[in-house]
Amino acid sequence: MGSNAQDIKILSRKQQLLPEAAFQELKGAVQGEVIIKGKAPDDVYRAALDRWNKAWIQEAAIIVFYVAIAAGRHSMYGASSTSGGLVIDLRKMRKVEIDIEKKSVTGQGGCVAADLEKPLEEKGYVAVFGANNETGIGGIMLGGGTGYLTGQYGMVIDNLLSAKVVLADGSVVEASEKSNPDLFWGIRGDGSNFGVVTEFTYKIHEHRGDVFFGIIAFSPDKTKKLLGIMEDLRQDVESADGKLGWMIALAKFPGQPKVHPLVIMFYDGPEEEAKKFLAPVAALEPFMNQSSMKPYTKITDPMPAMAPNHNRVSTSNAALASPFDAAVVETLIDDFDAFMNKYGEAVAPSKVVIELRSYRASAAVDPAATAYRSRAETILVVMEAQYDDSVSNSVIREEVKAITDKMKASKKQKDPKSEDTFNFNVSGGVEKVKDAYGENYPRLRELKRKYDPNFVFNKWYPIPPAEE
């Protein structure tokens, strides 16, 4: 077993050298494991640093388990890691309690969605989380959160009933509509600006039977025909009471000369109804169709890694104007195809995803009702560059940003008064905080002054406290 023991200097926020007595005091105060760089075995330290997105593994000075702000460690751009600072890691807090009478489920802050979804399914219920059940239940909610069930039941934040929050001064409070309602408003979309959320209680919804789901793949020559029916698919989504969703992914299979489309269909209803919606897509003669009825928890299980060495991810998002404009997407395809050709095997699993989902439930909520405000109906586009270590993070970051910035400019040109759409969980992390929160920003700064006046929590769209 390797050793990480070496002469490593760890400094305080005031840039003062921390003495050994400070480490011992920390260990004595914490009911959990404390891993200190330079003092813990190297294999233990490296395992604690590990993240889903390898581009954002940073060498924290101190990692504290059990009081911990990494949860599912599924951040796209490093919100759950830090360089030289303190990581509070919740991954060992995985307790789940289901209350059928109250129609709620409570999960500790280290839970991933699968920890809740699978026992709920056994009892005939679902909760709203993302499309991948390896995602932590904390980060997705604190960033707003959408998934396959959002069309029927709203965003993840719309399903939060209460939370237990550890504030910067160490006090533990409940946040709900009745207890600290201002904090409850703030945590629904503010990231980790106000504290460490160690427990979440969500609404649950009765759900019987399987859902219709699958991937349908087309050769590049079918792209134009598929784009030609996209507006019809979007209108079908709006007519299906929130039960229908489409994702159109642009990827490049080995051997294909050009980027080609894959369609992912979700329908929460009978197979015969689903196939009526699928008919215009199936008529385009895909070379692969894996759609069928499946248990809900099977469709949120992550797909096997096709390229395990491509373990770095850089994402950003933009929005398309409505109705759907095929010409704009054709330009996007050309830009993405050029990116894939430029970097080749280094970025092989990369993709662009166009999301057609119902905003029936989420847009019915006033944007001022939660800290997260981007609720207007839109067509969201996400570019996800997945790459290996042969190219630098900064180079890929600039490539991704250039493609999505071009999409944003196109929408602004078409609708100069439109606001940017933010999905904090897949955006680049570099957008201006004031723009991200818009009219809710001044209120958030006042809350920051109340709950974290010393700006202790300063990652993931950090909100500075309002001045006195």
Side-chain angles (χ1 to χ4, degrees):
M1 180 167 61
S3 174
N4 193 44
Q6 49 186 295
D7 184 20
I8 294 175
K9 296 179 173 62
I10 298 178
L11 305 178
S12 71
R13 292 182 73 193
K14 295 181 180 179
Q15 298 301 299
Q16 296 175 339
L17 184 66
L18 289 175
E20 179 64 27
F23 301 130
Q24 296 306 318
E25 183 180 357
L26 174 63
K27 288 182 176 181
V30 171
Q31 292 183 359
E33 188 177 2
V34 178
I35 296 175
I36 300 171
K37 183 179 181 181
K39 299 180 184 296
D42 190 62
D43 56 344
V44 174
Y45 174 70
R46 297 293 165 189
L49 290 179
D50 195 30
R51 295 291 184 273
W52 166 78
N53 186 356
K54 308 304 182 189
W56 284 101
I57 293 178
Q58 300 183 72
E59 298 206 353
I62 303 171
I63 303 167
V64 180
F65 283 100
Y66 221 55
V67 187
I69 294 172
R73 304 177 310 286
H74 207 271
S75 170
M76 290 289 189
Y77 59 88
S80 61
S81 57
T82 187
S83 179
L86 169 69
V87 170
I88 303 175
D89 198 311
L90 296 169
R91 78 180 79 177
K92 294 186 178 182
M93 300 180 69
R94 303 280 288 267
K95 184 179 179 182
V96 175
E97 293 182 355
I98 299 171
D99 191 326
I100 297 298
E101 186 176 337
K102 293 183 179 179
K103 295 290 193 291
S104 69
V105 61
T106 299
Q108 289 186 318
C111 288
V112 296
D115 295 334
L116 284 68
E117 286 182 348
K118 293 187 176 181
L120 281 172
E121 184 169 76
E122 292 174 359
K123 296 179 182 295
Y125 287 85
V126 291
V128 180
F129 295 112
N132 184 330
N133 66 25
E134 283 188 342
T135 303
I137 66 169
I140 190 170
M141 188 286 294
L142 295 170
T146 61
Y148 294 122
L149 299 173
T150 291
Q152 296 177 81
Y153 307 119
M155 301 178 70
V156 179
I157 53 174
D158 302 330
N159 287 268
L160 184 71
L161 295 172
S162 66
K164 185 181 291 184
V165 187
V166 181
L167 302 177
D169 64 4
S171 59
V172 181
V173 300
E174 179 183 327
S176 67
E177 292 287 3
K178 294 181 178 179
S179 300
N180 302 298
D182 56 348
L183 180 61
F184 186 60
W185 177 87
I187 64 172
R188 288 177 292 167
D190 82 307
S192 54
N193 267 291
F194 299 122
V196 183
V197 184
T198 60
E199 188 176 278
F200 302 83
T201 299
Y202 291 104
K203 298 175 187 176
I204 60 176
H205 309 274
E206 289 191 50
H207 191 273
R208 309 293 177 183
D210 294 345
V211 299
F212 190 83
F213 180 84
I215 299 174
I216 304 104
F218 295 89
S219 54
D221 60 294
K222 300 294 179 65
T223 301
K224 199 172 187 68
K225 290 182 178 179
L226 180 61
L227 295 181
I229 66 169
M230 288 282 281
E231 178 59 19
D232 292 335
L233 298 183
R234 188 189 71 82
Q235 291 182 17
D236 283 344
V237 167
E238 294 306 317
S239 70
D241 297 325
K243 296 179 179 182
L244 174 65
W246 301 95
M247 285 191 285
I248 291 79
L250 305 169
K252 196 165 189 177
F253 276 7
Q256 292 285 358
K258 188 177 175 64
V259 165
H260 66 96
L262 298 92
V263 176
I264 300 171
M265 179 186 182
F266 170 84
Y267 184 72
D268 189 6
E271 183 172 12
E272 58 271 21
E273 291 180 7
K275 287 188 172 180
K276 290 178 182 178
F277 289 117
L278 180 62
V281 174
L284 298 181
E285 299 180 344
F287 68 78
M288 181 182 78
N289 184 349
Q290 297 180 338
S291 59
S292 65
M293 298 298 290
K294 299 176 175 71
Y296 181 74
T297 55
K298 290 297 182 184
I299 75 165
T300 60
D301 278 340
M303 296 180 186
M306 301 296 290
N309 292 327
H310 295 70
N311 51 24
R312 299 162 184 261
V313 180
S314 184
T315 68
S316 190
N317 63 259
L320 295 174
S322 183
F324 187 84
D325 189 336
V328 172
V329 178
E330 287 175 357
T331 300
L332 168 64
I333 291 171
D334 290 341
D335 291 343
F336 182 59
D337 196 55
F339 167 80
M340 297 297 287
N341 289 334
K342 181 176 181 180
Y343 294 99
E345 177 58 28
V347 298
S350 299
K351 56 184 174 292
V352 170
V353 178
I354 303 170
E355 180 186 70
L356 301 178
R357 70 169 177 86
S358 172
Y359 286 76
R360 182 181 65 96
S362 55
V365 178
D366 188 332
T370 59
Y372 182 89
R373 69 177 182 89
S374 292
R375 294 177 174 276
E377 180 183 336
T378 192
I379 303 171
L380 187 69
V381 180
V382 179
M383 178 171 175
E384 181 178 301
Q386 190 173 342
Y387 55 104
D388 62 24
D389 59 6
S390 68
V391 285
S392 75
N393 297 334
S394 59
V395 166
I396 296 298
R397 178 79 230 132
E398 287 305 311
E399 294 277 11
V400 171
K401 190 172 182 297
I403 290 175
T404 54
D405 282 354
K406 188 173 180 179
M407 299 288 293
K408 293 174 183 178
S410 173
K411 186 170 186 288
K412 278 287 185 186
Q413 186 176 21
K414 195 166 187 178
D415 183 6
K417 295 183 178 180
S418 67
E419 295 183 354
D420 287 335
T421 298
F422 286 90
N423 184 325
F424 296 137
N425 294 309
V426 294
S427 59
V430 296
E431 295 85 357
K432 292 180 180 178
V433 177
K434 186 176 181 180
D435 292 342
Y437 290 105
E439 294 179 358
N440 292 340
Y441 185 66
R443 182 178 175 185
L444 284 165
R445 290 197 64 193
E446 292 293 337
L447 279 180
K448 186 72 168 179
R449 181 171 67 181
K450 176 179 177 180
Y451 288 105
D452 183 18
N454 296 319
F455 208 15
V456 172
F457 299 109
N458 53 28
K459 288 183 70 68
W460 198 12
Y461 296 97
I463 298 167
E467 298 173 357
E468 296 288 346

